[in-house]
Amino acid sequence: MEQTKLLALLDQMTLEEKVGQLVQLTPMFFSEQGEVTGPMNELEMTKEELFQIGSVLGTRTKEDVISIQTTYLANSRLKIPLIFMADVIHGYETIFPIPLALASSFDTELVKTTAELSAFEATRAGVHVTFSPMADLVRDARWGRVLESNGEDPYLSSQMTRAYVEGYQGEILSDKDTLAACVKHFVGYGEAEAGRDYNTVDMSDLNLYQNHLPAFRAAIDAGVKLVMSSFNVWRGIPSTANKYLLKDVLRNEMHFEGLVIADYAAVHELINHRVAADKKEAAYRAFSAGVEIDMVTDYYQHALPELIQDGLIEMDQLNQSVLKMLELKNELGLFEDPYRGLKDETLDRDMTPLRAKAREIAGQSMVLLKNESILPIQPSEKIGLVGPKANSHDVLGAWSWIGNPDKAITLEDGLKQAGFNPTYVEREIDYVQLKYCDKVIVAVGEISDEGGEGASKTSIALSQRQVELIKEVYHWNQNIIVVLVNSRPMDLSAIQPYVKGILVSWFPGSEAGIAIVDVLSGRVNPSAKLPMTFPQSTGQLPMSYNFLSTGRGINEHNHAQKYVSRYLDSDNAPLYPFGFGLNYSQIELDQVKISQIDQTTVEIKYQITNHSENAGSEILQVYMQDKVTEVARPERELKYFEKIHVAAKETVNGMIRLGKDDLSYWHADLSFTMDPGAFDFFVGFDSHAPLAGTWTYVE
Ligand code: NOJ
């Protein structure tokens, strides 16, 4: 539809119809086909109002979407199609690894492919918009939502966020395989105090600009269509009523032109935050701050018309938001086909390739943390198998609400499929059988419900029972490989002395079991790296590799002193650092040369050799330290990464250039510029990479 027609449509709309476009409800409201009972009754909503709303959250099937859209169109005056939004976080029916796992791949193409495949499947069920990616930077593994994130590094998270948006949205939204993306949660939600979900956030501008905004900027650069405001407060004002964040920063400075949606019932929660006295004030604060769509409350529906009539909100402002909604519907092709291909028999609906892809993607996302010559396992070996995750279908992880766990492959099944004949032992009394095994796989970790929204913990340690299990197994057999199924970094200190191998499989998704065995058996040579630090204890949290230099940091000269930034009962080092992960090859960085290209461009040349007979991949990582800066800066910052494949015995040469944008930083006045002086570069395969050289920028 041409823009002039959209404007004409807007002209025809009554005030109530306009407001309705900004209201989002769940499918529940349509189950009575508009009878004023149940949820409608609770919200004091009339049938007429229901058939004026703009969008629906969380339908499950194509049939639901067809039925709701049909009922809606039959009953609404202007017949503006509904838009269907949902949380498609790591796949729809076919479940891919959790986002934290995908970030572990350090492979943007892999993330983009995952988003494309998720969009392909979700659009076949009638979804138009996904509430993904989650761009929140995270540093506290107690927070259950770390699994939805790209980890602790702003550069990694930015690259991944961009890849998601590109993958979901494709080239053009009228293409029926695409989803519009909604990046969330704007902003700061990842810093909820003490890792407790929905808790207070308080942070400096520098932290905001340096760590939390970059991934949102990347999403906006990639053309993301929607932004979701977060639950937390920022400078005491909930994001959902925060003019500074939503107008000054998001609109004026970051130039976001799409729609802003409140998180679930967040407009209502302004009352709980005690920054609004009632529905009217809450709606006023949210809308005037820049929140355009109200998710699942009737606040906009019932308060915006009055606010407009009272002159507290300008009609122009409402018109702008409604027009954007109409434009999004138009871009998605909904005016031409409100079912967006659901009724088109010729549309490709073959999902079979997705499972094979899910297996491959999961294999690329698992991190091998420890391998004392125990992996890969061989078909000739007798393998013991124990632990709560050994034949569990709970491998999909949180936010896999459509995926069917019964269809997921368990580890035991995976071993059998791959030709192993594991001795699976369930009862303690049978552990003695493990004596006769060459190696024992102990599969432990978390259940899905321990991750995601509302799933914070005060301890990230492996449960006492699971630690005891490992010790018990150790009594019978000392060749232990731990497979961890987990949503977050875990404290593995207690089991370290007892195990020879540790594979972090995260929640791997539908193909879990076989994908884990791919890595354990060497069919897939692991290449993923930690996107979040694994601390030695929960007490070290929040923790990330890119902490700021302090006045009393620890170094080799003072690590035994008291008055330095340290703990009395633990050192500061992590158990496994950010960027760390092993493989089955022997890949080494042989030479790194740093040189100047022009005044503000530095070139890093490297040579990587695979000294082994095993083809493999390494994630080359470049970290930087700007030696003297106006404000305290991270000890190290990731500036570049690349997944590099190296064939057996092969040597690969490469070159990276870093320019002004990479070398600049946010100053106290929030200017983003580069200072003259020296920069150290650390090049290697994890965040502890050695110093490769220094380069000086002369103004
Ligand atoms: C609340 C969550 O915070 C958000 O991430 C999600 O998209 C919405 N609920 C909708 O389910």
Side-chain angles (χ1 to χ4, degrees), residues 313-604:
I313 286 176
E314 301 276 325
M315 192 62 169
D316 247 15
Q317 204 192 336
L318 179 70
N319 282 343
Q320 274 179 35
S321 300
V322 177
L323 183 62
K324 273 194 272 175
M325 190 66 173
L326 299 180
E327 284 169 347
L328 179 62
K329 292 181 174 185
N330 193 34
E331 270 191 84
L332 286 159
L334 292 174
F335 288 106
E336 281 76 32
D337 175 8
Y339 302 97
R340 205 169 177 251
L342 294 184
K343 292 184 168 179
D344 176 357
E345 293 303 321
T346 65
L347 205 69
D348 178 9
R349 289 191 170 78
D350 181 12
M351 301 300 163
T352 32
L354 269 71
R355 289 291 291 235
K357 280 285 187 190
R359 172 176 176 179
E360 189 192 309
I361 290 165
Q364 302 298 315
S365 307
M366 296 181 192
V367 190
L368 182 62
L369 289 186
K370 185 171 183 177
N371 185 15
E372 288 174 355
S373 309
I374 195 162
L375 289 169
I377 52 172
Q378 310 295 336
S380 56
E381 290 169 337
K382 196 165 164 47
I383 303 294
L385 179 64
V386 291
K389 289 287 172 183
N391 81 345
S392 165
H393 283 273
D394 181 23
V395 286
L396 301 183
W399 293 112
S400 42
W401 51 292
I402 298 289
N404 181 353
D406 293 343
K407 291 192 187 161
I409 302 176
T410 68
L411 180 51
E412 189 188 12
D413 288 343
L415 282 163
K416 288 182 183 157
Q417 270 185 37
F420 291 88
N421 182 21
T423 306
Y424 174 51
V425 173
E426 240 184 314
R427 296 179 315 166
E428 204 175 331
I429 195 167
D430 298 324
Y431 286 176
V432 57
Q433 290 182 40
L434 297 172
K435 225 165 98 172
Y436 309 103
C437 294
D438 296 303
K439 295 168 182 172
V440 182
I441 299 170
V442 186
V444 289
E446 299 183 298
I447 58 168
S448 287
D449 287 348
E450 285 175 275
E453 199 183 337
S456 300
K457 295 196 310 197
T458 60
S459 168
I460 60 163
L462 202 61
S463 76
Q464 199 50 40
R465 252 180 102 177
Q466 297 186 4
V467 173
E468 288 309 320
L469 166 72
I470 288 166
K471 289 184 182 167
E472 191 68 30
V473 172
Y474 184 80
H475 174 78
W476 298 107
N477 191 318
Q478 299 184 0
N479 289 323
I480 299 179
I481 301 153
V482 163
V483 170
L484 210 62
V485 177
N486 53 321
S487 289
R488 51 162 61 74
M490 297 190 77
D491 164 11
L492 305 174
S493 314
I495 61 162
Q496 278 287 109
Y498 303 99
V499 308
K500 290 187 176 161
I502 302 177
L503 178 69
V504 172
S505 80
W506 306 109
F507 273 88
S510 303
E511 293 285 308
I514 192 69
I516 292 171
V517 177
D518 282 343
V519 176
L520 293 179
S521 66
R523 190 181 147 302
V524 167
N525 190 349
S527 57
K529 304 280 183 174
L530 294 180
M532 275 186 91
T533 303
F534 270 48
Q536 293 186 45
S537 65
T538 304
Q540 286 181 315
L541 294 174
M543 190 180 200
S544 65
Y545 84 95
N546 47 4
F547 55 89
L548 303 187
S549 296
T550 72
R552 295 188 181 195
I554 290 191
N555 61 38
E556 65 274 22
H557 306 298
N558 66 10
H559 71 273
Q561 288 176 13
K562 180 165 184 198
Y563 297 103
V564 288
S565 181
R566 52 166 287 208
Y567 299 103
L568 291 177
D569 55 351
S570 161
D571 59 37
N572 288 0
L575 196 59
Y576 293 104
F578 173 87
F580 178 79
L582 303 170
N583 55 55
Y584 299 142
S585 304
Q586 200 199 327
I587 301 175
E588 278 164 23
L589 196 62
D590 297 328
Q591 290 174 31
V592 183
K593 272 199 209 115
I594 295 180
S595 51
Q596 172 141 4
I597 295 300
D598 60 35
Q599 198 194 10
T600 56
T601 311
V602 60
E603 183 178 87
I604 301 170

Side-chain angles (χ1 to χ4, degrees), residues 57 87 131 145 184-185 228 231 263-264 295 399 453:
L57 158 71
D87 291 284
F131 293 136
R145 303 202 74 169
K184 66 191 188 187
H185 308 83
M228 188 186 292
F231 285 129
D263 201 346
Y264 200 97
M295 193 192 292
W399 293 112
E453 199 183 337

